[in-house]
Amino acid sequence: MTASLSFLVTAVLSAVLGAASCTASQTGSAQQPSTRASGPASAVATAAPALTKQQALDQIAHYSQINNKANATRNRRLLDTIEDGPLYAMSVADYKEEEGLPKAGQETYRPWSYDLGSTRLYIPRFSSGQQRWFAAVTYSGKNNRYARLLVMAEQAAPRRWEMVAAVDVDDKRLLPAITLDSDGYATALDAASAQKVAKPVVALRKAVLDNYATGGTVSGKKTFAATKTSTRQIQVHERTTKKFGDRGSTTFSAAPTEFPDSYALRTDDGGALVVFAHTHTQLDVAHRGLQINPDKKDRAWLGTAPSPLISYTFTCSDVAAVPATPRKPALIGYTCRRTNAQGTRSLSAG
């Protein structure tokens, strides 16, 4: 996120990030791209579906119900029973920023739910001992204009299903057709394996981080096809690094991945749909004699005191359609939240 110099410069990055919120409403119905059967169920007889289709819908409905209760009072403990990984980190950050605003500036929470009638389920089969998860695509807006990709994973202890990713897709036409077997179940792939996925997750994450760090000039544009999603990330770099003009500087850097888990499904074109997370930082530095004033959402993290230097941490989820070579992967959706911010005092104290 952005901050402003003590005079002349004010910038807001939240509109550029344009990320999906766990409180957004999803309604409507739509047709997902057609899928084809990958073969008889006997070919995967040694593995069993993560859960039934009705059970998957029930888990999504349960998530919506508990999410509404947690969001109404910003109950972190309750939210922790239905969310995990990067999504939980982003939701808690939303809570913190909202609580940092004056009461008059806080939004009234409005309950919501996903439209289960339009939800497309992609449930893989797993062998004993493997972590179970499933993906879903929900739709909203007129003529189901908007698509959101969900991933729910079963946690080992306690044993329950939790939402780990909820990412709005910039163009639903870029969603690849997911391969289904004769019983309607999907196939999970190891996104870290170059043998299973033409461009493994480590390369995808590196390219996303480069979109922020250099505007994609090193590996971002070489790895990804040009899409609205890639352009949005590159615009974050271009706009933010120039926001202070000659009064300060902004740099983006890769950070250790806090949530390394990835999820991939086989697609009809011989490729994969991959969901993964990344973490990046932003460092704002004012030139000599100037200081940076925290904006209203910064204040939850930094208070109101100006600082010559502010460091931000962002937690993000990304979705990429990775076809078989030689075509480039397409980044089709991402969501980011600022999950930490530190000024000069907190950095020196740390």
Side-chain angles (χ1 to χ4, degrees), residues 147-322:
R148 174 176 290 183
L149 181 65
L150 311 177
V151 176
M152 294 196 76
E154 186 182 46
Q155 306 306 312
R159 203 170 184 83
R160 64 191 178 205
W161 288 88
E162 298 183 2
M163 195 78 74
V164 295
V167 185
D168 287 344
V169 176
D170 281 316
D171 185 348
K172 69 178 184 180
R173 295 172 297 180
L174 296 180
L175 277 167
I178 306 299
T179 301
L180 303 179
D181 64 25
S182 58
D183 292 324
Y185 291 104
T187 299
L189 300 174
D190 180 4
S193 170
Q195 287 72 44
K196 299 294 184 181
V197 179
K199 189 68 70 172
V201 68
V202 64
L204 298 175
R205 186 177 288 119
K206 180 180 179 181
V208 164
L209 290 167
D210 184 62
N211 280 347
Y212 287 98
T214 74
T217 59
V218 176
S219 63
K221 293 178 181 178
K222 293 179 182 178
T223 299
F224 292 121
T227 62
K228 182 178 180 179
T229 305
S230 289
T231 299
R232 285 202 293 128
Q233 291 183 344
I234 291 169
Q235 285 175 341
V236 170
H237 168 86
E238 296 298 326
R239 295 178 184 179
T240 310
T241 57
K242 297 174 182 177
K243 72 177 185 286
F244 289 147
D246 61 358
R247 296 177 177 274
S249 64
T250 296
T251 56
F252 289 96
S253 300
T257 303
E258 185 177 1
F259 304 104
D261 290 345
S262 56
Y263 308 88
L265 295 169
R266 179 181 294 164
T267 58
D268 282 359
D269 62 2
L273 181 67
V274 183
V275 183
F276 60 100
H278 82 268
T279 308
H280 69 265
T281 60
Q282 174 187 327
L283 182 63
D284 287 0
V285 180
H287 287 176
R288 185 182 297 274
L290 299 176
Q291 295 197 87
I292 302 169
N293 292 322
D295 69 19
K296 67 177 184 179
K297 289 196 173 182
D298 284 332
R299 292 173 185 174
W301 310 92
L302 303 168
T304 58
S307 173
L309 178 154
I310 297 177
S311 175
Y312 302 97
T313 299
F314 294 92
T315 298
C316 311
S317 288
D318 306 89
V319 180
V322 183

Side-chain angles (χ1 to χ4, degrees), residues 13 16 36 50-51 69 77 102 112 119 172 194 247 271 294 340:
L13 182 57
V16 178
R36 60 175 174 81
L51 69 183
K69 292 181 179 179
R77 181 174 296 181
W112 62 279
T119 298
K172 69 178 184 180
R247 296 177 177 274
N340 194 19

Side-chain angles (χ1 to χ4, degrees), residues 123-136:
I123 304 170
R125 297 174 182 268
F126 295 101
S127 299
S128 177
Q130 291 182 305
Q131 184 192 32
R132 301 191 299 167
W133 60 270
F134 72 92

Side-chain angles (χ1 to χ4, degrees), residues 71-93:
N71 290 343
T73 57
R74 303 187 194 96
N75 187 326
R76 291 159 174 79
R77 181 174 296 181
L78 183 59
L79 186 71
D80 193 30
T81 67
I82 55 162
E83 285 189 3
D84 195 36
L87 183 60
Y88 179 73
M90 287 187 266
S91 295
V92 169

